[in-house]
């Protein structure tokens, strides 16, 4: 029940905000990915510490002692044994006699750290959101003033529009820091994804970056030539060597076979994470290119504003985009998605007229 409550609590972060200040891709990285990784961490923690993450088969020794030893140290496989036929040449994929060749073993030490790594990955995914929340400071919420709902008395709507217009007039050309801070947070998302892909690849001994591609390629490989990459990276059966003293003080070597049921969950978790991170990286690259276009190609701003507020004539969008800086344009652009469409249309038309009058007076003076 407590696990259910915890997961339900994480679901609260996925609720839609009444006033949005960020893009869908930004939220997918900061909110959805954070909740996803936290959920995986909680599930794996429950499976690891409540269930039985490892079971070793060994004769003449207490099973619990061997299980604990093999879990806290490490288990291993023989990489060349994955190519052999199961049931004829080897008992399980990757399980074979090493004939004393210690260097040929592939050790698996990651599985007890997976739940902790996922937890810290989730924290790093939330950093851009935390940073933006502090930098944004509730400015957009204060500017909207409830104008996202068109149901209000006409006098109240007019007062709020005038207040908003007065704010923009007094703080014209003062919002460049606002927009660039937001773009920095989006760039941090991309940096975070690439950094996490790199460190996950290091965590899995260089096996993660090609993990998803090998899973896709496996379906095209003939059945007799297939090597399941999920079993190779997350083996279900491994080996463990346990040493103890005999009655006369001689060191005895016990070769045990260990079953890792937790890796069934790990392999499915990380194949989903692989595909999600690759998709997210592609979307974030596209987003950064899109933001660079907004910065360096001012002509696209009027078209974007027109697409965001269809009720506005394109001429109005061109006029206001030409008269304000990037920061002020960004504030107006975000307001278009947060205000009632009819109220926003009237507001921007009045704002454009006042900007035109102010420019005329400046020219006359």
């Amino acid at each position: 029940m407590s696990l259910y409550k915890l997961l339900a609590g994480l679901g609260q972060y996925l609720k839609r905000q009444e006033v949005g200040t960020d893009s869908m891709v930004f939220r997918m990285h900061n909110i959805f990915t954070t909740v996803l990784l936290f959920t995986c961490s909680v599930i794996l923690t429950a499976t690891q510490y409540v269930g039985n993450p490892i079971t070793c088969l060994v004769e003449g020794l207490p099973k619990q002692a061997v299980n604990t030893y093999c879990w806290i140290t490490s288990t291993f496989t023989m990489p060349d044994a994955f190519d052999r036929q199961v049931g004829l040449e080897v008992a399980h994929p990757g399980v074979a006699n090493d004939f004393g060749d210690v260097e040929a073993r592939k050790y698996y030490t990651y599985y007890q750290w997976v739940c902790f790594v996922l937890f810290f990955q989730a924290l790093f995914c939330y950093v851009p959101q935390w940073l933006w929340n502090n930098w944004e400071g509730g400015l957009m919420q204060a500017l909207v003033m409830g104008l996202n709902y068109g149901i209000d008395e006409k006098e109240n709507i007019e007062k709020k529009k005038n207040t908003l217009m007065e704010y923009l007039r007094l703080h014209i050309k003062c919002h460049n820091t606002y927009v660039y801070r937001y773009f920095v947070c989006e760039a941090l998302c991309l940096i975070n994804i690439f950094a996490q892909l790199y460190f996950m690849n290091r965590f899995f001994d260089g096996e993660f970056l090609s993990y998803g591609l090998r899973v896709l390629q496996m379906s095209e490989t003939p059945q007799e030539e297939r090597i399941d990459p999920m079993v190779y990276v997350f083996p279900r059966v491994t080996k463990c060597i346990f040493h103890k003293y005999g009655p006369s003080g001689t060191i005895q070597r016990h070769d045990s076979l260990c079953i890792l049921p937790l890796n069934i969950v790990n392999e499915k978790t990380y194949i989903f994470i692989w595909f999600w991170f690759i998709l997210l990286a592609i979307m974030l690259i596209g987003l950064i290119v899109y933001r660079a276009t907004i910065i360096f190609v001012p002509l696209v701003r009027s078209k974007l504003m027109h697409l965001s507020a269809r009720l506005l004539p394109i001429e109005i969008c061109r006029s206001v985009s030409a008269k304000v800086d990037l920061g002020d344009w960004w504030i107006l652009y975000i307001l278009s998605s947060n205000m009632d469409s009819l109220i926003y249309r009237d507001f921007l038309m009045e704002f454009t007229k006042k900007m035109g009058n102010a420019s005329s007076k400046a020219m006359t003076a």
Side-chain angles (χ1 to χ4, degrees):
M1 183 61 70
S2 59
L3 177 61
Y4 173 77
K5 288 182 178 179
L6 179 59
L7 295 179
L10 290 174
Q12 298 295 320
Y13 290 94
L14 299 176
K15 288 185 176 180
R16 185 179 179 275
Q17 297 177 346
E18 288 190 6
V19 177
T21 60
D22 46 23
S23 66
M24 181 186 68
V25 178
F26 191 69
R27 290 191 296 271
M28 289 169 69
H29 174 276
N30 299 334
I31 306 301
F32 179 79
T33 307
T34 299
V35 172
L36 170 68
L37 294 174
F38 266 130
T39 302
C40 292
S41 176
V42 169
I43 292 173
L44 288 173
T45 301
T47 307
Q48 178 171 319
Y49 291 102
V50 177
N52 190 14
I54 188 170
T55 302
C56 296
L57 307 176
V58 64
E59 296 181 358
L61 293 175
K63 289 186 177 181
Q64 188 59 39
V66 177
N67 289 344
T68 303
Y69 171 79
C70 293
W71 176 256
I72 64 176
T73 54
S74 61
T75 60
F76 65 91
T77 59
M78 302 301 294
D80 61 340
F82 285 97
D83 299 327
R84 304 178 195 175
Q85 191 172 357
V86 177
L88 293 177
E89 298 177 284
V90 293
H92 300 279
V95 178
N97 194 337
D98 58 14
F99 298 104
D101 188 1
V102 177
E103 293 183 357
R105 300 173 183 173
K106 178 177 175 60
Y107 284 91
Y108 298 88
T109 58
Y110 61 81
Y111 41 73
Q112 54 188 301
W113 298 103
V114 166
C115 58
F116 302 107
V117 169
L118 288 170
F119 174 79
F120 285 108
Q121 282 184 258
L123 289 182
F124 280 111
C125 282
Y126 192 73
V127 166
Q129 183 68 52
W130 175 83
L131 193 60
W132 173 237
N133 287 343
N134 282 276
W135 278 344
E136 204 274 336
L139 175 63
M140 192 55 58
Q141 181 78 40
L143 293 180
V144 172
M145 295 180 290
L147 292 175
N148 47 339
Y149 301 107
I151 304 174
D152 199 352
E153 293 183 4
K154 189 174 181 180
E155 292 182 1
N156 290 336
I157 293 175
E158 289 298 323
K159 286 180 181 179
K160 291 176 181 179
K161 286 197 300 183
N162 291 333
T163 302
L164 177 58
M165 208 169 302
E166 185 67 14
Y167 168 83
L168 291 174
R169 189 183 66 81
L170 292 175
H171 296 84
I172 198 74
K173 298 184 179 181
C174 295
H175 296 105
N176 284 340
T177 302
Y178 182 92
V179 64
Y180 283 120
R181 281 179 172 178
Y182 174 68
F183 289 170
V184 165
C185 290
E186 286 188 332
L188 284 177
C189 294
L190 181 61
I191 294 170
N192 175 66
I193 287 297
F194 278 114
Q196 291 206 23
L197 285 171
Y198 171 77
F199 284 112
M200 278 193 287
N201 194 55
R202 291 287 300 271
F203 183 62
F204 291 112
D205 295 327
E207 301 289 346
F208 185 75
L209 286 181
S210 61
Y211 182 48
L213 292 176
R214 283 182 289 159
V215 171
L216 292 176
Q217 292 170 356
M218 184 185 67
S219 60
E220 302 176 359
T221 308
Q223 184 69 35
E224 62 276 5
E225 299 177 10
R226 287 185 181 181
I227 300 176
D228 190 346
M230 290 192 288
V231 175
Y232 184 77
V233 181
F234 302 100
R236 292 92 182 257
V237 182
T238 56
K239 296 182 65 175
C240 179
I241 306 297
F242 184 84
H243 295 91
K244 66 180 287 291
Y245 286 105
S248 63
T250 304
I251 295 179
Q252 297 178 343
R253 182 177 184 270
H254 293 269
D255 188 3
S256 59
L257 199 65
C258 295
I259 302 170
L260 299 169
L262 189 63
N263 271 351
I264 296 293
V265 183
N266 284 335
E267 68 180 23
K268 305 301 188 298
T269 299
Y270 275 98
I271 191 62
F272 182 81
I273 289 174
W274 188 90
F275 281 107
W276 176 247
F277 270 49
I278 294 299
L279 177 63
L280 200 56
I282 293 171
M283 289 191 293
L284 284 167
I285 290 172
L287 182 64
I288 296 303
V289 172
Y290 172 58
R291 298 306 186 207
T293 305
I294 291 175
I295 294 172
F296 298 109
V297 187
L299 292 176
V300 304
R301 299 174 192 172
S302 58
K303 295 180 181 178
L304 291 174
M305 183 174 284
H306 181 63
L307 289 172
S308 180
R310 287 285 187 174
L311 296 177
L312 277 170
I314 185 65
E315 292 77 14
I316 296 292
C317 298
R318 287 172 181 166
S319 176
V320 72
S321 298
K323 293 173 182 176
V324 297
D325 286 347
L326 174 62
D328 301 313
W329 174 87
W330 181 256
I331 293 291
L332 293 170
Y333 178 67
I334 296 299
L335 283 172
S336 68
S337 59
N338 286 296
M339 289 173 60
D340 178 79
S341 56
L342 293 174
I343 296 175
Y344 181 75
R345 182 196 65 182
D346 295 339
F347 163 75
L348 199 63
M349 292 179 74
E350 292 177 23
F351 180 73
T352 306
K353 288 179 182 178
K354 288 194 174 183
M355 288 289 293
N357 293 336
S359 298
S360 300
K361 290 180 180 179
M363 291 287 291
T364 304

